Amino acid sequence: MADLKGEFFTQKEVFKGEEIEAIYRVARKPVAEQGEIDLSASDDPMARMGQGFCPAFNQRTYEAAPGIICEQDTEVVMRDGVKIYCDIYRPADVTTKIPVIVSWSWFGKRPGDGMSEWQIMGVPPHTVSKMAKFESPDPAYWCHQGYAVANVDVRGAGHSEGNVHMFTHQDREDGYDFVEWIATQEWCNGKVGMSGNSGVAMHQWGIAAEQPPHLACIAPWECTTDLYRESLFEGGIPALSFNEFIAAQVTGPNGVDDQVAMARKYPLMNGYWEDKIPDFSKVRIPVYQTAGFSHFHLMGSVKAFRKCKSRRKWLRMHRDFEWPDTYMPENLEDLKRFYDRYLKEIHNGWEMTPKVRVDIMDAYDCDYQVRRAEDAFPLSRTEYKRYYLDAAKMTMQDAPVSTVSKVSYDANTEEAVFDMEFTEDTELTGYMFLRLYVEADGHDDMDMFVNIQKADEKGEFLPWNTLDEPHPGAWGKIRVSCRELDEKLSTSFNPVRSGKSVEKLKTGEIVPVDIAIVPSARIWHKGQKLRIQVAGRYIREGWFEPLAWDAENKGKHIIHTGGEYESFIQVPVIPPRYVAGSYVYR
């Protein structure tokens, strides 16, 4: 790997029984002094994330806030002798033993230090204290509820020894060791929970699958759980810039598992990528999962909930972005009831919480229903229907189209739009998938981006809003050469790619592709239109996250419909629970 110019190093490791050359990026080094950061003066919303910040090493116990003490830079030794460090916040002057909530990630365990303003996008200033780790429980709240909070710098992060292992077996084993260590501290009641959203949530599933005896429950709020299929190669299309941004923010003494370099070296599924997928069948403890309809963690969050084997699991699905959802007062109180039940053994009726609660979106900031109770996801009363595309009219209908037709669009600048008007109020909640018969004109591959949208009676786009921005709709993606499905992972409502083959298109060849659409929940009123938008690029303007896809499109994309080319969208129609004349109860 000489071409990496000293910024990377490699070493042989075994992943899922396969010896693989792993690539590590040299981490940003901690510095002794870091000046105050004025976030309020920054125009870059990502600067507010606090990633990469690493205060000087300073082992001490001090009063972090009135009534809260902090054991700073506490050393914990892993089974192989590597030392990692954590900050433990506890309520002062508590004589009874208390449970602990663990935040496990490489984001930096004290991002608020040295910052004039600690703010997370979508969360008002001063909502979250400077004791809180990014995307994590705030000690300023939880310590006053009778909990300790452990902010951990994982192996290789901050001043912790070793290399950062992102979601690998090494990370899971370290998590097991930490849970068992902290459960035996003299102030702890032996009950350990985990909390946090996004990156902090993603670790929880893998650690829970290791089954540490003292891990009593987890609350992974928004989490990608198959990094290969859901992030770096969603639909088979490389999406490397965001993950490169994440890796570049990590501060530590050595190296960082470089998933982007590994994606370039190993673009097909192998032991390295499989090692990052948790074994959901081994998760048996109570779980409180959330899934936001607006974010790229959506597919992984719902999959984890569906696949884990715990009989005590709850799912809350919502329209909001993950950060404000995490710190909303009603959500904190809801989470406290969950923790009180399983970390303090308070019989508070939590078990009566509906297994699934779903916000049914309408348009803009309006939700048709909020936290509607359901018993499962997908919903048990789902009626799957297929609407067949007609390229001659650019519409859809509920019966197969007999006439063969086609539509083409420039692969880089244009799009194809199919509309269908609903004749009655219709709710679509669950998984959709789109089957298209496609052909490439002028190239041997196609990168296709799909948005499932809502339009009003006049055909005007009706978005839902997230962080005051219009969301383009439930999405799906496919690189046509990567269309092979995994028969074991795919279901009748959710096709899953194998990631193990590449099959380029021949000139004039027409092939069917199944495009998975992320779960959603939305109402279409009578006269409104279901819209399918297909393009060679993701159509979204102005979003703050540095998301990008390395699409390779040339010439034109052609979609064939009708006759032998039965292109359709399968949708999850949810019938009303009760109808009486003109009255409808959903």
Side-chain angles (χ1 to χ4, degrees), residues 161-178:
E161 297 174 351
N163 300 317
V164 173
H165 293 256
M166 293 190 172
F167 312 110
T168 67
H169 62 278
Q170 180 65 70
D171 181 76
R172 297 192 287 272
E173 292 170 3
D174 288 349
Y176 179 108
D177 292 350
F178 184 84

Side-chain angles (χ1 to χ4, degrees), residues 421-495:
E421 183 176 316
F422 283 112
T423 58
E424 60 182 3
D425 288 3
T426 303
E427 178 189 330
L428 305 181
T429 294
Y431 289 89
M432 305 180 195
F433 84 88
L434 183 64
R435 176 171 296 166
L436 296 179
Y437 282 81
V438 299
E439 176 188 357
D441 180 5
H443 195 35
D444 61 359
D445 211 341
M446 304 168 66
D447 287 337
M448 305 180 75
F449 297 76
V450 176
N451 289 322
I452 307 301
Q453 300 182 332
K454 175 176 172 174
D456 66 16
E457 294 82 352
K458 297 179 181 179
E460 296 295 322
F461 172 45
L462 287 173
W464 74 73
N465 286 353
T466 301
L467 293 179
D468 297 322
E469 294 284 342
H471 194 280
W475 66 92
K477 304 177 180 70
I478 193 71
R479 173 163 283 184
V480 173
S481 63
C482 300
R483 61 190 177 275
E484 180 188 62
L485 298 181
D486 186 309
E487 294 183 1
K488 291 183 178 180
L489 297 179
S490 297
T491 67
S492 61
F493 54 82
N494 179 224

Side-chain angles (χ1 to χ4, degrees), residues 20 38-39 84 189 258 532 536 578:
I20 293 173
D38 186 4
L39 289 178
I84 69 171
N189 71 350
D258 196 309
I532 301 174
Y578 174 62

Side-chain angles (χ1 to χ4, degrees), residues 126-418:
H126 312 296
T127 300
V128 181
S129 81
K130 294 183 179 182
M131 294 178 282
K133 188 176 179 178
F134 180 60
E135 299 184 327
S136 297
D138 189 352
Y141 174 80
W142 289 104
C143 289
H144 290 297
Q145 310 305 316
Y147 290 87
V149 175
N151 290 347
V152 185
D153 274 345
V154 301
R155 178 184 296 248
H159 301 283
S160 295
E161 297 174 351
N163 300 317
V164 173
H165 293 256
M166 293 190 172
F167 312 110
T168 67
H169 62 278
Q170 180 65 70
D171 181 76
R172 297 192 287 272
E173 292 170 3
D174 288 349
Y176 179 108
D177 292 350
F178 184 84
V179 166
E180 292 308 293
W181 173 85
I182 203 164
T184 62
Q185 300 309 295
E186 54 88 20
W187 48 264
C188 185
N189 71 350
K191 298 280 188 180
V192 181
M194 300 191 80
S195 183
N197 69 279
S198 191
V200 190
M202 291 162 66
H203 292 276
Q204 296 179 42
W205 284 104
I207 295 170
E210 292 291 307
Q211 299 181 336
H214 290 93
L215 184 60
C217 62
I218 58 173
W221 283 17
E222 322 296 334
C223 52
T224 298
T225 49
D226 183 337
L227 279 156
Y228 179 85
R229 293 185 179 92
E230 298 163 12
S231 181
L232 286 109
F233 291 97
E234 185 183 10
I237 306 173
L240 307 184
S241 61
F242 180 76
N243 289 279
E244 196 155 38
F245 163 78
I246 293 293
Q249 302 303 309
V250 178
T251 301
N254 297 302
V256 180
D257 174 17
D258 196 309
Q259 298 174 126
V260 170
M262 293 295 280
R264 293 190 176 112
K265 185 176 178 64
Y266 305 106
L268 297 180
M269 177 65 75
N270 65 3
Y272 171 80
W273 299 113
E274 290 172 350
D275 186 58
K276 295 178 182 291
I277 303 173
D279 185 347
F280 301 109
S281 69
K282 293 183 178 178
V283 179
R284 306 296 177 95
I285 58 176
V287 174
Y288 181 175
Q289 174 75 62
T290 68
F293 292 124
S294 300
H295 206 252
F296 56 71
H297 294 306
L298 173 58
M299 188 68 87
S301 297
V302 179
K303 181 181 71 177
F305 172 80
R306 285 176 42 223
K307 291 197 169 186
C308 83
K309 296 302 182 182
S310 175
R311 295 184 177 180
R312 295 170 294 172
K313 60 180 180 179
W314 289 267
L315 174 67
R316 180 170 58 81
M317 310 181 78
H318 62 92
R319 176 179 52 80
D320 212 345
F321 194 75
E322 55 188 336
W323 300 335
D325 179 79
T326 293
Y327 298 107
M328 287 289 287
E330 57 265 39
N331 296 341
L332 284 172
E333 292 164 10
D334 201 48
L335 182 58
K336 180 179 180 296
R337 292 197 347 264
F338 174 75
Y339 283 143
D340 281 351
R341 176 65 188 91
Y342 297 114
L343 296 180
K344 293 185 176 181
E345 296 187 355
I346 298 173
H347 288 259
N348 55 13
W350 170 262
E351 289 86 352
M352 298 181 71
T353 303
K355 292 294 184 182
V356 175
R357 291 172 287 174
V358 187
D359 291 352
I360 311 301
M361 299 180 290
D362 197 328
Y364 306 112
D365 290 325
C366 303
D367 289 330
Y368 179 75
Q369 289 176 304
V370 176
R371 301 196 184 193
R372 189 179 72 194
E374 300 288 347
D375 58 5
F377 196 91
L379 277 56
S380 56
R381 65 185 188 281
T382 302
E383 296 177 358
Y384 290 104
K385 294 185 179 181
R386 291 180 175 180
Y387 300 134
Y388 297 86
L389 279 60
D390 185 349
K393 301 176 182 177
M394 298 308 292
T395 58
M396 293 172 273
Q397 62 186 48
D398 57 8
V401 177
S402 58
T403 303
V404 174
S405 59
K406 63 183 178 180
V407 62
S408 66
Y409 58 88
D410 184 277
N412 290 297
T413 63
E414 297 177 331
E415 59 264 6
V417 175
F418 297 83

